[in-house]
Amino acid sequence: MSDRQKGLIDAFKTTIPNADIRYCCRHIWTNFKGKFPGVVYKEHFWKAARSSTVHHFNIHMATIKELNEDAFKYLSEIPAQHWSRHAFTSARKSGMLLNNCCESFNNVLRKARSKPILQLMEWIRRYVIQRCCAKREGLKIFEGVIMPSVVKMVHMGLKEASAMRINQAYLNEFEVDHEDDTYVVNLENRTCVCYKWTLMGIPC
């Protein structure tokens, strides 16, 4: 994931041609709002980025197009597979839209950035060792089987599921009504057309 700095994309294609490339949506939004400021643009940009189906993505892009043709054209020129969840490959079990991890690590490197390259690499090596050790020590007092972040996701899914209506179509296939939309879930294939849980690597 990158902020689309000049030269990065060409470098990726040369050095890691099979990598799945994504663009940080915060950087896209920062550049976008400089040309097209406004709360309505912000709302539909982020909804388009978080859309797990092409149908919802098109709805929000159409709204942006109604507001401003140039704004729509600006976003359309950025391939959706780099910034919108509906177009992400399911081979990568991550729906991340922001490069927060990179930004956090970059912030950590601030104190060592001025060092010569070999000293910088040694500083990073020791930092990673110390961090891994601290995490191991923290896990010694952890109680339970499932990590808190995963428990939170499960509870969120249960809350959403309680508001859904289910109609069985075939032995392993169901139609699920959620709010104003209907999704097809196949238990045998463990797929759902909402794409959300497939992308996150969670079986339906």
Side-chain angles (χ1 to χ4, degrees), residues 51 74 80 124 179:
S51 294
Y74 180 92
I124 293 174
E179 296 178 347

Side-chain angles (χ1 to χ4, degrees), residues 31-96:
N31 294 331
F32 180 78
K33 74 177 181 179
K35 300 177 181 292
F36 312 101
V39 176
V40 180
Y41 285 118
K42 180 179 181 180
E43 176 186 352
H44 289 284
F45 167 79
W46 284 105
K47 285 185 177 180
R50 296 187 181 105
S51 294
S52 60
T53 67
V54 65
H55 170 68
H56 290 102
F57 175 78
N58 288 338
I59 287 176
H60 299 298
M61 289 295 286
T63 303
I64 292 174
K65 187 176 183 179
E66 290 177 5
L67 294 170
N68 191 314
E69 187 87 27
D70 290 335
F72 172 79
K73 184 179 179 181
Y74 180 92
L75 291 178
S76 297
E77 289 176 350
I78 306 173
Q81 67 265 28
H82 296 316
W83 66 279
S84 180
R85 281 183 179 149
H86 83 280
F88 290 171
T89 171
S90 60
R92 317 288 182 255
K93 303 303 181 184
S94 171
M96 287 183 64

Side-chain angles (χ1 to χ4, degrees), residues 116-155:
I117 184 64
L118 292 180
Q119 292 182 27
L120 173 63
M121 297 300 292
E122 177 62 14
W123 188 94
I124 293 174
R125 186 186 69 83
R126 291 194 173 188
Y127 171 80
V128 171
I129 288 175
Q130 293 169 3
R131 181 172 173 81
C132 289
C133 183
K135 290 295 182 180
R136 282 194 297 270
E137 290 299 316
L139 285 172
K140 289 180 180 179
I141 60 174
F142 173 74
E143 295 181 358
V145 178
I146 305 175
M147 298 302 292
S149 59
V150 178
V151 171
K152 183 178 179 180
M153 291 170 57
V154 171
H155 286 167

Side-chain angles (χ1 to χ4, degrees), residues 23-37:
Y23 303 149
C24 177
C25 286
R26 182 180 289 114
H27 287 87
I28 295 177
W29 166 245
T30 299
N31 294 331
F32 180 78
K33 74 177 181 179
K35 300 177 181 292
F36 312 101

